[in-house]
Amino acid sequence: MHIRSIPMWTGKGNNYAYILSDEATQEGMIIDPANPPEVLPVLKSLIPSSLKLTGVINTHHHRDHAGGNSELLKIYLDTPVIGGKDCDAVTKTPKNGEVFQIGKSISVKALYTPCHTQDSICYHVQDGEDNAVFTGDTLFIGGCGRFFEGTAPEMHEALNVVLAKLPNDTRVFVSFTRRNI
């Protein structure tokens, strides 16, 4: 499993998109590609030489996560978009606990974590013994996302039940850095 971060709006929003790829097949998906001017050059530098883009994954519908979907689809036609039902150009909304594959070795499990938005989904990925989770705006480096559409009990469930059950060696990939501490 290879994870490449793509900084977006550096100095303003400090968001991140990520490319998650299977090293053996070079198949990969991009997570939360909100800012096409910063994301597309990275994708273009990797495709087709070292990456076969097989999908877009969104953690929730806010523009700073799913806002780049339509622009990406103008270039990468017919690319599936996996995310909550309110994400721009979504083609598949996984059920809570549903698992899908990237390449041959990466399993991705959708974990519903409503609160920041009601369509917030964290994605737990496994490649053999290697674990990671992409948390969107559910969990930050120094806190959690605002309760735009949810309640404190929902955030408690998301953090202290759903995410707390992940293996202790799980690497955490958040969407924001300094701005949200």
Side-chain angles (χ1 to χ4, degrees), residues 13-15 137 140 142-144 146 175-181:
N14 298 315
N15 292 51
D137 285 357
F140 298 138
C144 62
R146 293 184 183 130
S175 295
F176 287 109
T177 58
R178 295 181 298 256
R179 188 181 86 175
N180 291 292
I181 294 179

Side-chain angles (χ1 to χ4, degrees), residues 63-75:
R63 190 185 75 68
D64 60 336
H65 293 264
N69 292 353
S70 292
E71 195 69 28
L72 260 67
L73 293 175
K74 289 178 186 175
I75 297 167

Side-chain angles (χ1 to χ4, degrees), residues 56 80-85 89-95 98 100 121 123:
V56 173
V81 176
I82 299 167
K85 66 179 179 56
V90 68
T91 58
K92 168 79 173 158
T93 298
K95 294 178 180 155
E98 184 174 337
F100 58 93
I121 302 172
Y123 295 93

